[in-house]
Amino acid sequence: MERLILLLSIVFFNVGFTPENPPSFAKAQDDTAQYRIVYKGEKGPGVGKNIVFITSDHEYRSEESLPALARILAKRYGFTCTVDFGLDNEGYILPGSSNLKGLEVLDKADLMVLFTRFSNFGDEEMRHFDKYIRRGGPIVAFRTSTHAFSNKGNTKWEHYSWDYKGEKSAWKDGFGELVLGETWVSHYGTNHKQASKLIPEEAQKAHPILRGVKDMSTQSGGYTAYPNGATVIARGQVLNGMTPESEPDKTKELLPVAWVRTYSVESGSSGRAFVTTHGASEDLLNEGFRRMALNAAFWAMGMEKEIKANNSIEFVGPYQPTTFNFNGYKAKVKPADLAGWDSLIMPGEVVKNK
């Protein structure tokens, strides 16, 4: 043992490892930690369970909505919630960035909450993602997750792309179609000018996800969606305006906006998925929509008994969402700036994209 310790000491000395100059594996761990924030609950039915939130979309401010949901589930229900962000080269949160690391946390996750758009993550991250869905890990997916990936030119993972038409016929139209039941089709109505009212499906009003849910409306507009192999939970009514009181657009049919399904990938295990085509930053201000989203997390993990009509859905800390758009976001914000229960979501100043 003494000889082993002496040998290790010599090795570390020769390569210059000191407390100020740690080995490269320690630096790698530190780098990965910069991509995420962790909210650890202390009491409630979620103690001992891990939820991983993956956020990087260009428009709908998921970098704001997902940390807000994570805080509620951690503080009020005891889950350990890890939020992983896409970053720029300086370590600031960059909406839509594929520079995202640390998805090894999925290996021990009890739920994945996804809100990405046209992402092309690195090989290491895709391996962890692929491993998760092949084991049938539960999923809650928001809006642009139907077109979560665009991996053209990435031969190993191109089948995940939203418009895949390659040799793997089971993966036609990619992750969205195979796992979530729908890929990107089109907007339904005029986004930013026509908001939505969400109407529970009559046959599913007793579904646990709708327990205590009422008066759902969202700022985000409709998507064209005809999910395969799914049970529709709610349909969307396109409105001629941006308030819940706006008149319905009578030229639009009621299309699915929230559904559940059981998925499996090739020879992998089956898992539960909840999908909604809404979920923008300001959508969470609506209590009905927020309750449905939180209920869906419990349902996906098989925790229906914990869904109570009067479960607390109050925000934890200040939530002041930025209006969703392509042209500006809160810049110069690092994941660490969202630490704790009381930090503002979202700090920073809105800057216009160049």
Side-chain angles (χ1 to χ4, degrees):
M1 178 61 73
E2 291 178 354
R3 296 174 67 181
L4 176 60
I5 292 173
L6 177 62
L7 178 61
L8 289 173
S9 299
I10 293 172
V11 171
F12 272 66
F13 177 79
N14 286 341
V15 297
F17 290 157
T18 67
E20 293 75 27
N21 180 31
S24 60
F25 68 81
K27 287 186 176 180
Q29 289 177 334
D30 290 342
D31 289 344
T32 296
Q34 293 175 10
Y35 287 79
R36 60 197 183 205
I37 193 71
V38 180
Y39 302 110
K40 186 174 177 60
E42 296 180 352
K43 59 181 179 179
V47 170
K49 292 185 178 294
N50 299 288
I51 304 178
V52 175
F53 297 73
I54 305 174
T55 164
S56 192
D57 88 283
H58 304 76
E59 179 180 8
Y60 295 104
R61 306 284 71 86
S62 63
E63 72 275 9
E64 301 183 11
S65 59
L66 292 201
L69 289 174
R71 278 188 184 175
I72 297 171
L73 286 163
K75 179 68 172 179
R76 306 206 182 283
Y77 298 100
F79 294 96
T80 295
C81 295
T82 300
V83 188
D84 218 331
F85 300 85
L87 304 182
D88 66 12
N89 292 332
E90 298 179 77
Y92 294 111
I93 296 170
L94 178 62
S97 169
S98 290
N99 175 22
L100 183 146
K101 295 181 181 178
L103 292 188
E104 71 276 0
V105 293
L106 283 175
D107 295 349
K108 296 183 179 179
D110 298 284
L111 173 66
M112 175 176 70
V113 180
L114 184 67
F115 201 150
T116 63
R117 176 182 183 272
F118 295 147
S119 297
N120 188 3
F121 299 146
D123 185 60
E124 180 69 16
E125 311 317 314
M126 288 303 299
R127 277 201 297 268
H128 291 295
F129 194 98
D130 187 68
K131 180 180 177 182
Y132 183 84
I133 68 166
R134 287 181 184 278
R135 72 169 166 94
I139 300 172
V140 168
F142 291 99
R143 199 155 175 86
T144 56
S145 297
T146 61
H147 41 298
F149 297 100
S150 182
N151 308 75
K152 288 182 178 179
N154 185 343
T155 55
K156 188 168 184 178
W157 304 109
E158 64 181 354
H159 55 286
Y160 269 81
S161 290
W162 66 278
D163 57 349
Y164 177 72
K165 301 293 191 296
E167 295 179 357
K168 297 184 177 182
S169 58
W171 284 84
K172 181 178 180 294
D173 291 331
F175 166 82
E177 185 73 23
L178 177 60
V179 177
L180 304 184
E182 183 60 285
T183 186
W184 166 247
V185 180
S186 66
H187 282 285
Y188 194 65
T190 305
N191 202 24
H192 300 281
K193 292 184 178 181
Q194 290 185 289
S196 304
K197 182 178 180 181
L198 279 61
I199 302 173
E201 191 81 338
E202 189 66 33
Q204 296 301 321
K205 283 188 174 181
H207 196 286
I209 290 177
L210 293 176
R211 198 169 293 159
V213 172
K214 57 183 178 180
D215 301 327
M216 286 190 290
S217 62
T218 63
Q219 290 289 288
S220 54
Y223 274 180
T224 302
Y226 298 95
N228 71 79
T231 298
V232 176
I233 297 296
R235 294 179 183 269
Q237 188 172 69
V238 178
L239 305 177
N240 282 322
M242 292 299 290
T243 66
E245 297 76 28
S246 300
E247 289 294 319
D249 184 340
K250 296 180 180 179
T251 69
K252 304 296 184 187
E253 64 175 308
L254 302 183
L255 294 184
V257 295
W259 62 86
V260 295
R261 70 191 305 269
T262 299
Y263 80 92
S264 62
V265 176
E266 295 167 353
S267 59
S269 300
S270 60
R272 286 181 168 185
F274 166 85
V275 187
T276 175
T277 53
H278 296 285
S281 52
E282 292 175 305
D283 293 352
L284 286 195
L285 296 176
N286 177 263
E287 292 188 0
F289 182 83
R290 189 163 75 250
R291 184 176 295 280
M292 180 179 71
L294 293 167
N295 287 354
F298 283 96
W299 172 86
M301 290 183 283
M303 299 176 67
E304 292 94 332
K305 291 182 179 180
E306 302 298 337
I307 303 175
K308 308 293 194 298
N310 62 348
N311 274 354
S312 175
I313 61 168
E314 294 302 309
F315 288 110
V316 176
Y319 181 62
Q320 299 175 12
T322 309
T323 298
F324 67 94
N325 67 98
F326 270 117
N327 298 320
Y329 67 99
K330 293 285 186 71
K332 300 296 182 181
V333 179
K334 294 189 175 183
D337 295 331
L338 302 178
W341 307 120
D342 300 320
S343 57
L344 173 65
I345 301 175
M346 185 65 113
E349 297 294 330
V350 175
V351 299
K352 297 295 183 181
N353 292 325
K354 296 180 181 180

